[in-house]
Amino acid sequence: MDVKNAFLHGDLAEDIYMTPPPGLFSSSAGVCKLNRSLYGLRQAPRAWFEKFRSTLIGFSFTQSHYDTSLFIHRTDVGIVLLLIYVDDMVITGSDQASIQKLKDQLQAAFHMKDLGCLHYFLGLEVHSNSKGIFVNQHKYTEDLIYMAGLHSAVPVDTPLEVNVKYHRDEGDILPDPLKYRQLVGSLNYLTITRPDISFAVQQVSQFMHTPRHLHLNAVRRIIRYLKGTSNRGLFFPSNLSLTLLAYSDADWAGCPDTRRSVSGWCMFLGSALISWKSKKQARVSKSSTESEYRAMSTACSEIIWLRGLLAELGIPQGTPTPLYADNTSAIQLAANPVFHERSKHIEVDCHSIREALDDHVISLPHVSSQLQLADIFTKAVPRPRHQFLLCKLMLLDQPHQFEGGC
């Protein structure tokens, strides 16, 4: 760091003051010029990532166009993948010699610790054997249950009660909303491996500003559901088909306060769930067809992104990706370029699905409502239906063959 007259750095002048080293004069009129990033400054993460990125590019890696934290290196033997989150990274691939070479290069360039086989990463517990990979957040879930004070509570079979709507202004306001916000924030992170609570968490996340006692009771029910299923996680079989397929659904006017609909979709690689979403739509839909059409459009955007990412990984999709929907009117609206009186108000961006359909990026097969797997992301369902969908999503309690081992 070159120090001239002062002790301030750029836009941090209002927040962080630095005391010059002894022997250097100081003045409030100047600034310090940083030649290296300092830990704790706002620019530090960007500077660190740029340093790491340039180092990997120097190792003949390329940065993914679809996920900037993913780096790819192809060799004559196979492929090496590196995924980074801040300063934690996962290295995998099919070329073991190149993986070891990369580790040696990183050790020489940075202070790095090799933790061996992947078991734990950012709260995710990873178990693998010859049958596949199982990912869950058991310890994180147990910590959440204790934080909520529900370690002795009676478990329930579903995360939300069926046919119960939560209103924004119903019930008494919580005197201290901090605990509610902590629990909901923790639940949001848990949805990384627990798609079965995605809709429930989406519902309670709407009341973060002024939560009420009824909303807290809903959060507690979700945690009671987790108490009986803390070992549950996602299973990725080793004999996985590499064909992408998707399901899209919507609950029309599901929000009792705004009458907005909830979109839900899920993406599968073969039989393994790899991406999902439960989210309230940005606008009020005038019909169930419109709400389903909007959900299909957002799902189509995710399909396009996943197809590009899979192509970078050497898994191109040679056929259109089927996007299963149970609303025949919405399917016909996507396939028919004619504007009808009841659909001409739908924004142009939703009609991008037509372009994807014409370019054979997607196909739109119809699926019955009973086999609509995205149903769990749009509404609370009864216990038998809930269990059926969990099985289809490959969301399982941890099998004993995955206990221990690498």
Side-chain angles (χ1 to χ4, degrees):
M1 180 173 65
D2 291 334
V3 181
K4 298 242 176 158
N5 292 331
F7 47 93
L8 305 178
H9 175 58
D11 59 353
L12 300 179
E14 297 180 358
D15 302 316
I16 299 176
Y17 287 81
M18 299 166 56
T19 303
L24 291 179
F25 53 90
S26 63
S27 169
S28 59
V31 297
C32 290
K33 177 184 177 182
L34 293 180
N35 288 336
R36 291 187 179 183
S37 62
L38 295 180
Y39 186 82
L41 298 184
R42 292 177 184 172
Q43 294 90 340
R46 182 183 294 273
W48 150 247
F49 183 76
E50 182 55 36
K51 170 65 177 176
F52 188 82
R53 173 183 171 275
S54 60
T55 302
L56 281 183
I57 290 176
F59 296 159
S60 300
F61 275 74
T62 58
Q63 188 176 17
S64 169
H65 295 291
Y66 296 91
D67 187 340
T68 55
S69 60
L70 176 65
F71 295 86
I72 305 168
H73 176 57
R74 286 187 172 82
T75 68
D76 295 334
V77 178
I79 188 172
V80 179
L81 305 173
L82 186 148
L83 185 68
I84 185 169
Y85 181 83
V86 189
D87 58 354
D88 295 311
M89 68 188 77
V90 176
I91 302 173
T92 187
S94 56
D95 186 346
Q96 293 301 319
S98 295
I99 290 176
Q100 186 57 50
K101 179 182 177 182
L102 172 62
K103 290 181 181 179
D104 295 339
Q105 290 173 321
L106 290 174
Q107 289 277 12
F110 304 101
H111 295 291
M112 189 183 105
K113 182 185 292 184
D114 185 357
L115 300 178
C117 292
L118 179 62
H119 291 293
Y120 193 82
F121 184 71
L122 303 177
L124 278 67
E125 300 171 38
V126 182
H127 313 267
S128 60
N129 60 23
S130 59
K131 294 185 178 180
I133 299 173
F134 181 79
V135 184
N136 67 354
Q137 292 171 274
H138 172 66
K139 183 181 182 302
Y140 183 90
T141 304
E142 290 293 327
D143 292 342
L144 174 57
I145 294 169
Y146 272 87
M147 183 175 73
L150 296 173
H151 48 278
S152 59
V154 179
V156 293
D157 295 326
T158 57
L160 281 182
E161 294 184 65
V162 181
N163 297 325
V164 174
K165 299 291 185 180
Y166 295 97
H167 295 263
R168 186 169 45 209
D169 302 323
E170 185 178 4
D172 298 327
I173 296 177
L174 290 174
D176 183 8
L178 178 61
K179 189 72 169 181
Y180 181 90
R181 292 166 181 166
Q182 288 176 335
L183 293 175
V184 174
S186 299
L187 287 170
N188 264 300
Y189 190 72
L190 190 56
T191 58
I192 294 174
T193 60
R194 295 298 300 268
D196 51 334
I197 65 170
S198 292
F199 173 73
V201 174
Q202 181 270 328
Q203 290 288 291
V204 297
S205 296
Q206 301 176 82
F207 312 114
M208 297 286 272
H209 182 60
T210 53
R212 305 190 176 240
H213 285 284
L214 286 175
H215 307 149
L216 181 59
N217 290 337
V219 171
R220 286 173 174 162
R221 180 183 174 92
I222 299 172
I223 298 175
R224 287 170 58 201
Y225 168 73
L226 293 172
K227 185 177 184 298
T229 59
S230 61
N231 280 315
R232 189 164 291 170
L234 292 169
F235 177 56
F236 303 90
S238 56
N239 57 350
L240 189 66
S241 166
L242 300 180
T243 302
L244 185 66
L245 64 150
Y247 292 81
S248 170
D249 195 21
D251 180 36
W252 180 42
C255 178
D257 294 315
T258 64
R259 307 309 292 171
R260 293 181 184 178
S261 307
V262 175
S263 294
W265 48 254
C266 51
M267 312 284 163
F268 293 82
L269 198 60
S271 59
L273 182 65
I274 60 171
S275 181
W276 58 89
K277 177 72 77 175
S278 176
K279 186 176 182 180
K280 186 190 291 186
Q281 295 180 0
R283 296 179 179 274
V284 177
S285 296
K286 295 185 177 181
S287 65
S288 60
T289 297
E290 182 180 342
S291 65
E292 294 270 3
Y293 189 61
R294 292 184 187 279
M296 289 164 55
S297 180
T298 56
C300 180
S301 299
E302 180 75 3
I303 289 172
I304 293 171
W305 179 78
L306 281 173
R307 285 173 66 97
L309 181 61
L310 289 170
E312 278 192 334
L313 298 176
I315 315 171
Q317 301 294 300
T319 58
T321 298
L323 173 57
Y324 292 94
D326 58 8
N327 188 297
T328 54
S329 297
I331 294 173
Q332 292 170 359
L333 183 61
N336 186 357
V338 177
F339 279 89
H340 296 283
E341 183 178 353
R342 287 182 293 179
S343 64
K344 63 184 180 181
H345 64 282
I346 301 176
E347 290 86 343
V348 175
D349 62 343
C350 285
H351 296 301
S352 62
I353 191 173
R354 292 177 177 170
E355 184 176 308
L357 190 63
D358 292 340
D359 293 341
H360 304 290
V361 173
I362 64 168
S363 61
L364 294 173
H366 178 264
V367 66
S368 69
S369 296
Q370 291 300 315
L371 298 177
Q372 175 54 272
L373 304 189
D375 203 27
I376 197 171
F377 299 104
T378 61
K379 62 181 73 71
V381 295
R383 180 180 178 276
R385 176 73 173 163
H386 186 77
Q387 295 298 327
F388 169 78
L389 293 173
L390 290 185
C391 182
K392 294 294 184 181
L393 295 177
M394 297 285 282
L395 193 60
L396 312 173
D397 290 328
Q398 182 176 342
H400 25 230
Q401 59 261 39
F402 285 99
E403 295 175 0
C406 178

